[in-house]
Amino acid sequence: MGNAIRALVAFVPTDCCQSYVVRDLREMPTDKMVDLSGKRLRRFPAHVCSFQELVKLYLSDNHLNSLPPELGQLQNLQILALDFNNFKALPQVVCTLKQLCILYLGNNKLCDLPSELSLLQNLRTLWVEANCLTQLPDVVCELRLLKTLHAGSNALRLLPGQLQRLRELRTIWLSGNLLTDFPAVLLHMPFLEVIDVDRNSIRYFPSLAHLSSLKLVIYDHNPCRNAPKVAKGVRRVGRWAEETPEPDPRKARRYALTLEESQDGEAPALPSLLLPPNS
């Protein structure tokens, strides 16, 4: 019977059905967080917009393709998860949430990002993996406090030179794109700590030994003829790398999430399989 009701909710998004799905949300949660992930929602439940002190809103894994203008009332929101939905364009109202620090947009159908995204000058982490991006939107280069960029599983062939403006950027994840050359702009970003170019079409790697902050470079599953040279203590994952075993991707993702959502901003310890040898 429960499955039948959930199926009805998915295909008949009436006010009654929405109330059933979010029946426990009658007042502002004490932890200032609402998690409606995996509820098969086709419409955002507008009454959530009355929780104006809300800090975290998770809408992952639904059937959403739009958001109401009333979402702009949530001016205290710091984390917004819209991943695994049906967005073909980012709703403009998201760009009005100026306290956002973390924005999850992965696994949608985005081909671009609006210029208004530059208004989110507090954004530290942006996830746009598994979309339809053929180039990294220029507006990303205007997010001056960005520390982590997840842009894997798109169709990127190069990165804009303006990316080096992001002097706070520490980790960049580019796995599963269409890169044929190692992005030249990354060679001018000595503040990077993690570079992931796994599963691309890179045939040659330049030396990365001058990147003084680098801790980890993942370059596996490329048709390369050499391994990138790195400074002492930098962990390499890929062909001809001396370290084994390879890090568990789940641990890498868990580390990234812990780092990005930590309240005090202090980086947690790297998982053991991501640490340089003899650390």
Side-chain angles (χ1 to χ4, degrees), residues 117-226:
L117 191 73
S118 64
L119 297 174
L120 303 183
Q121 285 298 307
N122 284 308
L123 207 62
R124 267 70 167 180
T125 300
L126 177 62
W127 294 65
V128 290
E129 79 281 11
N131 275 285
C132 305
L133 300 175
T134 58
Q135 59 184 11
L136 190 68
D138 290 341
V139 68
V140 173
C141 303
E142 299 179 33
L143 303 172
R144 59 184 180 85
L145 295 184
L146 200 65
K147 290 189 175 183
T148 303
L149 175 60
H150 292 260
S153 300
N154 280 285
L156 304 179
R157 296 182 181 274
L158 49 82
L159 297 180
Q162 303 96 302
L163 194 69
Q164 62 185 300
R165 297 176 185 170
L166 301 182
R167 304 191 65 82
E168 297 299 319
L169 196 64
R170 296 295 180 266
T171 61
I172 185 165
W173 308 79
L174 299 166
S175 175
N177 276 289
L178 301 176
L179 301 172
T180 56
D181 297 300
F182 184 82
V185 66
L186 301 185
L187 300 175
H188 303 286
M189 301 175 72
F191 37 83
L192 285 174
E193 297 179 1
V194 177
I195 298 175
D196 177 11
V197 289
D198 184 29
R199 299 184 186 279
N200 278 279
S201 299
I202 301 173
R203 295 186 175 277
Y204 173 77
F205 281 93
S207 174
L208 306 181
H210 66 289
L211 299 182
S212 55
S213 299
L214 196 61
K215 297 177 181 178
L216 171 67
V217 55
I218 305 174
Y219 65 96
D220 207 10
H221 305 101
N222 280 281
C224 53
R225 298 187 294 270
N226 70 311

Side-chain angles (χ1 to χ4, degrees), residues 56-94:
K56 302 178 182 181
L57 176 58
Y58 296 92
L59 299 170
S60 309
D61 193 19
N62 282 294
H63 303 286
L64 300 173
N65 57 27
S66 64
L67 294 172
E70 291 79 8
L71 189 75
Q73 299 174 24
L74 303 182
Q75 287 299 311
N76 291 296
L77 210 58
Q78 296 179 21
I79 299 176
L80 177 61
L82 300 174
D83 48 325
F84 291 93
N85 275 285
N86 295 323
F87 292 101
K88 294 183 178 180
L90 181 65
Q92 292 284 341
V93 66
V94 174

